[in-house]
Amino acid sequence: MEPDGSPYGPDPYPPPNPRGPLQNPTPQIRHRSIAAIAFLLLVLGLVCAGAYFSGEVQRTWTGPAAQSQVPRPGVLPFGQRQDPLPGREEADAPLGTPPPLQRTSNSYKFLAVKDDGTPVAYSPCRPIHYVVNSTLAPASWQPLVEEAVRQASLASGLKFIYDGPTSEVPTSNRAGYQPEMYGDRWAPVLIAWTTPEQVPRLAGQTVGLGGSSSIGLSNGYKAYVTGTVSLDEPQFAGIMDSPQGKEIGVAVIMHELGHVLGLDHVDDPRQLMYDQASWVRQYAAGDRTGLAKLGTGPCSKDF
């Protein structure tokens, strides 16, 4: 706006000024003013156009809150997402149910619980896929894994599907979504024989590690989506050379699968989830009670 209050003429109520002529702009001043406004409008138009094409306008309109929101799975095209398309293989009802418990026990503990006190678990309405890296495994690894998976599935009611071999090696920060290796889905559970050099936490007397990664949704839903079982090849080979090597080997894998499904260690030496080596070879009453609870979690098509 012109100093006189209007770009089109003098202010109808100009302030008193003894010099008079300055109350009414001369044509030269008016032309310069109009030219200055046009120049400013041109510059503003160029800035807005550049901001639009660079995305600045969009960010200004949406605001900081929208910028901080993580895109929901499936919004971006495949290849650009950080999570798979939600709801893959999610049925309308659980694929299986835990068997009736002949005996219950409080000797179990969950690795993680939600705000309502229920454990974080896998969805019972979709299968748990798993792959095996057997590069360092003993020759008889397959029946050991199959039996351990069968027992974990039976106790929890959760369905497992073997997807075959993999070249993936365990890491401490394994990605839950690896589309370049496993396609547009959550990465399958990885079972692998490895060494303390590759997995430092296996140093010492630790023969195996197991655990899962979870996802949390804005509605409060939490669930495990993938996991890893890492087995110390040198120690496992020594177990297999022992008189009851096969039974112990299966029990070790069952123990780690218990962690994958959500069980923590307990102080009860009568349970397979006891934190030290013991004579127990099967899931006991406390293990089965905990696994049954983990197998009856909620379903969700939102992840």
Side-chain angles (χ1 to χ4, degrees), residues 3 44 68 78 85 104 146 154 157 171 173 183 191 204 207 218 232 240 257 259 261 281 299 301:
L44 181 60
S68 64
F78 176 53
L85 193 67
T104 61
E146 289 177 349
L154 180 64
T171 59
N173 57 347
I191 301 176
V207 67
S218 58
D232 187 326
M240 296 303 296
L257 286 175
H259 288 317
L261 294 184
R281 302 287 183 266
C299 303
K301 297 182 182 293

mmCIF file of all heavy atoms in Angstrom, residues 3 44 68 78 85 104 146 154 157 171 173 183 191 204 207 218 232 240 257 259 261 281 299 301:
data_model
loop_
_atom_site.group_PDB
_atom_site.id
_atom_site.type_symbol
_atom_site.label_atom_id
_atom_site.label_comp_id
_atom_site.label_asym_id
_atom_site.label_seq_id
_atom_site.Cartn_x
_atom_site.Cartn_y
_atom_site.Cartn_z
ATOM 1 N N PRO A 3 2.202 5.000 0.737
ATOM 2 C CA PRO A 3 2.265 5.744 2.008
ATOM 3 C C PRO A 3 1.060 6.624 2.242
ATOM 4 O O PRO A 3 0.734 6.943 3.359
ATOM 5 C CB PRO A 3 3.533 6.579 1.855
ATOM 6 C CG PRO A 3 4.373 5.799 0.896
ATOM 7 C CD PRO A 3 3.399 5.176 -0.059
ATOM 8 N N LEU A 44 7.345 -12.261 -5.895
ATOM 9 C CA LEU A 44 6.558 -13.146 -5.036
ATOM 10 C C LEU A 44 6.037 -14.344 -5.806
ATOM 11 O O LEU A 44 6.036 -15.475 -5.326
ATOM 12 C CB LEU A 44 5.400 -12.362 -4.412
ATOM 13 C CG LEU A 44 4.489 -13.148 -3.469
ATOM 14 C CD1 LEU A 44 5.284 -13.706 -2.292
ATOM 15 C CD2 LEU A 44 3.346 -12.276 -2.971
ATOM 16 N N SER A 68 5.818 -35.137 10.848
ATOM 17 C CA SER A 68 6.352 -36.104 11.791
ATOM 18 C C SER A 68 5.634 -37.443 11.744
ATOM 19 O O SER A 68 6.058 -38.388 12.379
ATOM 20 C CB SER A 68 6.251 -35.546 13.216
ATOM 21 O OG SER A 68 4.886 -35.373 13.583
ATOM 22 N N PHE A 78 5.156 -50.272 -3.646
ATOM 23 C CA PHE A 78 6.125 -51.287 -3.260
ATOM 24 C C PHE A 78 7.503 -50.889 -3.774
ATOM 25 O O PHE A 78 7.652 -50.463 -4.899
ATOM 26 C CB PHE A 78 5.714 -52.636 -3.843
ATOM 27 C CG PHE A 78 6.715 -53.736 -3.585
ATOM 28 C CD1 PHE A 78 7.138 -53.996 -2.304
ATOM 29 C CD2 PHE A 78 7.236 -54.486 -4.623
ATOM 30 C CE1 PHE A 78 8.044 -55.000 -2.040
ATOM 31 C CE2 PHE A 78 8.148 -55.494 -4.385
ATOM 32 C CZ PHE A 78 8.554 -55.752 -3.085
ATOM 33 N N LEU A 85 2.757 -54.292 2.906
ATOM 34 C CA LEU A 85 1.329 -54.030 2.798
ATOM 35 C C LEU A 85 0.617 -54.737 3.946
ATOM 36 O O LEU A 85 0.838 -55.924 4.186
ATOM 37 C CB LEU A 85 0.809 -54.553 1.459
ATOM 38 C CG LEU A 85 -0.590 -54.102 1.046
ATOM 39 C CD1 LEU A 85 -0.608 -52.619 0.766
ATOM 40 C CD2 LEU A 85 -1.045 -54.868 -0.190
ATOM 41 N N THR A 104 -1.990 -76.699 34.864
ATOM 42 C CA THR A 104 -1.511 -75.333 34.706
ATOM 43 C C THR A 104 -0.458 -75.020 35.764
ATOM 44 O O THR A 104 -0.337 -75.721 36.770
ATOM 45 C CB THR A 104 -2.662 -74.323 34.823
ATOM 46 O OG1 THR A 104 -3.255 -74.445 36.121
ATOM 47 C CG2 THR A 104 -3.701 -74.567 33.744
ATOM 48 N N GLU A 146 12.519 -79.412 12.718
ATOM 49 C CA GLU A 146 11.117 -79.791 12.476
ATOM 50 C C GLU A 146 10.417 -80.220 13.763
ATOM 51 O O GLU A 146 9.273 -79.843 14.011
ATOM 52 C CB GLU A 146 11.058 -80.906 11.436
ATOM 53 C CG GLU A 146 11.415 -80.446 10.024
ATOM 54 C CD GLU A 146 11.417 -81.603 9.033
ATOM 55 O OE1 GLU A 146 11.345 -82.773 9.478
ATOM 56 O OE2 GLU A 146 11.513 -81.333 7.818
ATOM 57 N N LEU A 154 2.412 -76.923 18.554
ATOM 58 C CA LEU A 154 1.400 -77.682 19.294
ATOM 59 C C LEU A 154 1.056 -77.001 20.614
ATOM 60 O O LEU A 154 -0.119 -76.905 20.991
ATOM 61 C CB LEU A 154 1.910 -79.104 19.544
ATOM 62 C CG LEU A 154 0.980 -80.039 20.318
ATOM 63 C CD1 LEU A 154 -0.304 -80.280 19.533
ATOM 64 C CD2 LEU A 154 1.681 -81.366 20.621
ATOM 65 N N GLY A 157 -0.577 -73.388 19.566
ATOM 66 C CA GLY A 157 -1.660 -73.319 18.592
ATOM 67 C C GLY A 157 -1.331 -72.465 17.396
ATOM 68 O O GLY A 157 -2.136 -72.359 16.460
ATOM 69 N N THR A 171 22.117 -60.941 12.763
ATOM 70 C CA THR A 171 22.732 -59.666 13.133
ATOM 71 C C THR A 171 21.980 -59.098 14.325
ATOM 72 O O THR A 171 20.826 -59.462 14.587
ATOM 73 C CB THR A 171 22.697 -58.647 11.975
ATOM 74 O OG1 THR A 171 21.322 -58.411 11.602
ATOM 75 C CG2 THR A 171 23.464 -59.152 10.773
ATOM 76 N N ASN A 173 20.938 -56.078 14.670
ATOM 77 C CA ASN A 173 19.936 -55.089 14.246
ATOM 78 C C ASN A 173 19.222 -55.558 12.982
ATOM 79 O O ASN A 173 19.070 -54.803 12.027
ATOM 80 C CB ASN A 173 20.588 -53.728 14.016
ATOM 81 C CG ASN A 173 21.721 -53.779 13.004
ATOM 82 O OD1 ASN A 173 22.196 -54.860 12.646
ATOM 83 N ND2 ASN A 173 22.143 -52.618 12.528
ATOM 84 N N GLY A 183 10.567 -60.407 -0.360
ATOM 85 C CA GLY A 183 9.351 -59.901 -0.973
ATOM 86 C C GLY A 183 8.590 -58.958 -0.057
ATOM 87 O O GLY A 183 9.054 -58.572 1.016
ATOM 88 N N ILE A 191 16.272 -68.991 11.576
ATOM 89 C CA ILE A 191 16.955 -69.972 12.426
ATOM 90 C C ILE A 191 18.303 -70.247 11.782
ATOM 91 O O ILE A 191 18.362 -70.650 10.612
ATOM 92 C CB ILE A 191 16.147 -71.269 12.567
ATOM 93 C CG1 ILE A 191 14.769 -70.969 13.171
ATOM 94 C CG2 ILE A 191 16.894 -72.290 13.418
ATOM 95 C CD1 ILE A 191 13.851 -72.187 13.253
ATOM 96 N N GLY A 204 31.039 -67.324 25.681
ATOM 97 C CA GLY A 204 30.892 -68.002 26.959
ATOM 98 C C GLY A 204 30.114 -69.290 26.817
ATOM 99 O O GLY A 204 30.272 -70.045 25.854
ATOM 100 N N VAL A 207 24.618 -71.189 24.463
ATOM 101 C CA VAL A 207 24.563 -72.020 23.266
ATOM 102 C C VAL A 207 23.529 -71.516 22.260
ATOM 103 O O VAL A 207 23.572 -71.873 21.075
ATOM 104 C CB VAL A 207 24.248 -73.489 23.643
ATOM 105 C CG1 VAL A 207 22.826 -73.607 24.198
ATOM 106 C CG2 VAL A 207 24.443 -74.428 22.467
ATOM 107 N N SER A 218 -0.951 -47.110 16.140
ATOM 108 C CA SER A 218 -1.445 -45.936 16.846
ATOM 109 C C SER A 218 -2.651 -46.253 17.730
ATOM 110 O O SER A 218 -2.939 -45.518 18.666
ATOM 111 C CB SER A 218 -1.831 -44.842 15.835
ATOM 112 O OG SER A 218 -2.815 -45.316 14.935
ATOM 113 N N ASP A 232 24.950 -71.493 18.601
ATOM 114 C CA ASP A 232 26.409 -71.518 18.588
ATOM 115 C C ASP A 232 26.880 -72.835 17.973
ATOM 116 O O ASP A 232 26.740 -73.897 18.573
ATOM 117 C CB ASP A 232 26.933 -71.378 20.017
ATOM 118 C CG ASP A 232 28.442 -71.229 20.076
ATOM 119 O OD1 ASP A 232 29.138 -71.835 19.235
ATOM 120 O OD2 ASP A 232 28.923 -70.511 20.958
ATOM 121 N N MET A 240 25.697 -82.489 20.035
ATOM 122 C CA MET A 240 25.297 -83.578 19.149
ATOM 123 C C MET A 240 26.201 -84.799 19.300
ATOM 124 O O MET A 240 25.805 -85.922 18.974
ATOM 125 C CB MET A 240 25.292 -83.092 17.696
ATOM 126 C CG MET A 240 24.274 -82.006 17.410
ATOM 127 S SD MET A 240 22.582 -82.496 17.824
ATOM 128 C CE MET A 240 22.333 -83.846 16.682
ATOM 129 N N LEU A 257 12.878 -71.097 20.647
ATOM 130 C CA LEU A 257 11.576 -70.789 20.027
ATOM 131 C C LEU A 257 10.590 -70.271 21.076
ATOM 132 O O LEU A 257 9.710 -69.467 20.757
ATOM 133 C CB LEU A 257 11.010 -72.018 19.324
ATOM 134 C CG LEU A 257 11.690 -72.403 18.005
ATOM 135 C CD1 LEU A 257 11.107 -73.719 17.478
ATOM 136 C CD2 LEU A 257 11.523 -71.304 16.954
ATOM 137 N N HIS A 259 11.443 -68.284 23.440
ATOM 138 C CA HIS A 259 11.759 -66.852 23.473
ATOM 139 C C HIS A 259 11.166 -66.140 22.263
ATOM 140 O O HIS A 259 10.640 -65.027 22.377
ATOM 141 C CB HIS A 259 13.277 -66.647 23.472
ATOM 142 C CG HIS A 259 13.940 -67.012 24.770
ATOM 143 N ND1 HIS A 259 13.421 -66.668 26.006
ATOM 144 C CD2 HIS A 259 15.104 -67.680 25.030
ATOM 145 C CE1 HIS A 259 14.217 -67.091 26.967
ATOM 146 N NE2 HIS A 259 15.250 -67.723 26.399
ATOM 147 N N LEU A 261 8.525 -66.783 20.609
ATOM 148 C CA LEU A 261 7.072 -66.612 20.759
ATOM 149 C C LEU A 261 6.705 -65.669 21.898
ATOM 150 O O LEU A 261 5.556 -65.229 21.972
ATOM 151 C CB LEU A 261 6.406 -67.967 20.970
ATOM 152 C CG LEU A 261 6.484 -68.935 19.785
ATOM 153 C CD1 LEU A 261 5.694 -70.212 20.080
ATOM 154 C CD2 LEU A 261 5.974 -68.287 18.500
ATOM 155 N N ARG A 281 13.585 -81.813 28.940
ATOM 156 C CA ARG A 281 13.696 -81.968 27.484
ATOM 157 C C ARG A 281 12.424 -81.555 26.739
ATOM 158 O O ARG A 281 12.425 -81.493 25.504
ATOM 159 C CB ARG A 281 14.010 -83.433 27.137
ATOM 160 C CG ARG A 281 15.285 -83.971 27.764
ATOM 161 C CD ARG A 281 16.508 -83.376 27.088
ATOM 162 N NE ARG A 281 17.735 -83.937 27.627
ATOM 163 C CZ ARG A 281 18.441 -83.391 28.619
ATOM 164 N NH1 ARG A 281 18.045 -82.245 29.153
ATOM 165 N NH2 ARG A 281 19.539 -83.966 29.068
ATOM 166 N N CYS A 299 -6.183 -60.779 16.768
ATOM 167 C CA CYS A 299 -5.869 -60.698 15.336
ATOM 168 C C CYS A 299 -5.876 -59.219 14.921
ATOM 169 O O CYS A 299 -6.464 -58.374 15.586
ATOM 170 C CB CYS A 299 -6.902 -61.458 14.512
ATOM 171 S SG CYS A 299 -7.082 -63.205 14.960
ATOM 172 N N LYS A 301 -5.637 -56.918 10.986
ATOM 173 C CA LYS A 301 -5.290 -56.758 9.572
ATOM 174 C C LYS A 301 -4.562 -55.439 9.320
ATOM 175 O O LYS A 301 -4.330 -55.052 8.172
ATOM 176 C CB LYS A 301 -6.561 -56.823 8.707
ATOM 177 C CG LYS A 301 -7.294 -58.151 8.754
ATOM 178 C CD LYS A 301 -8.516 -58.124 7.832
ATOM 179 C CE LYS A 301 -9.299 -59.431 7.894
ATOM 180 N NZ LYS A 301 -8.553 -60.558 7.337
#
